[in-house]
Each structure stands twice: as C-alpha cells, then as structure tokens.
Amino acid sequence: KFGIHGTNPLLFALLREGIAGPLLLAMAAFANGFPAAIPAWQDAPRLACLGLCIFANHICFILGLKLADPATGSAWQLSQ
C-alpha cells in the first residue's frame, strides 16, 4: 500500500497508466523500429477501448485495496 494511503487512488492509477503507455511505446519502437511500433489508424478505436478497460480494471483494484486489506487483495489478484 505504498502509493495508496497518502494519495488519491484515481490519481495514482492515472499516473501509473500515463507513464506506462509512453514507456511501452518507446520500448516497442526500440525493439521493432519506430514505424513498426505505431499502430494503424483503423486499430485506434479498439486500442482506446482496450486501454479504457485496463485503466478501469486498475482503478477498481486500487479502490478495492483502499477498502480492504492487502491479504484479500492478493487472493483476488488474478488480473494485476
């Protein structure tokens, strides 16, 4: 519960996803070359929906940790 007690859980999830997205894109560009790392425009709605679902999943998990104890959270931690 390092980042949960002193901060807003929604802000924590937003910062976590906001940092991870560009970092993963940079790693893909480094591994596969920059033009290959950029997705096609027709895939953008599906990728946006996927990103929204993953963001919602992380928000719900972090809010659950705020309300429950870490042992319960680790028992239900199938998606993290």
Side-chain angles (χ1 to χ4, degrees):
K1 289 190 171 189
F2 172 70
I4 295 175
H5 284 296
T7 62
N8 183 354
L10 298 178
L11 180 64
F12 180 75
L14 180 66
L15 288 174
R16 177 180 167 177
E17 298 298 319
I19 292 171
L23 183 64
L24 289 173
L25 183 62
M27 290 172 60
F30 180 73
N32 299 325
F34 190 68
I38 298 174
W41 282 106
Q42 61 265 26
D43 293 332
R46 283 183 273 179
L47 288 173
C49 182
L50 176 65
L52 183 65
C53 289
I54 292 173
F55 181 66
N57 178 22
H58 288 192
I59 285 176
C60 290
F61 187 80
I62 290 172
L63 288 176
L65 276 181
K66 187 95 170 161
L67 298 173
D69 59 316
T72 305
S74 66
W76 290 96
Q77 189 183 13
L78 299 176
S79 62
Q80 294 294 318

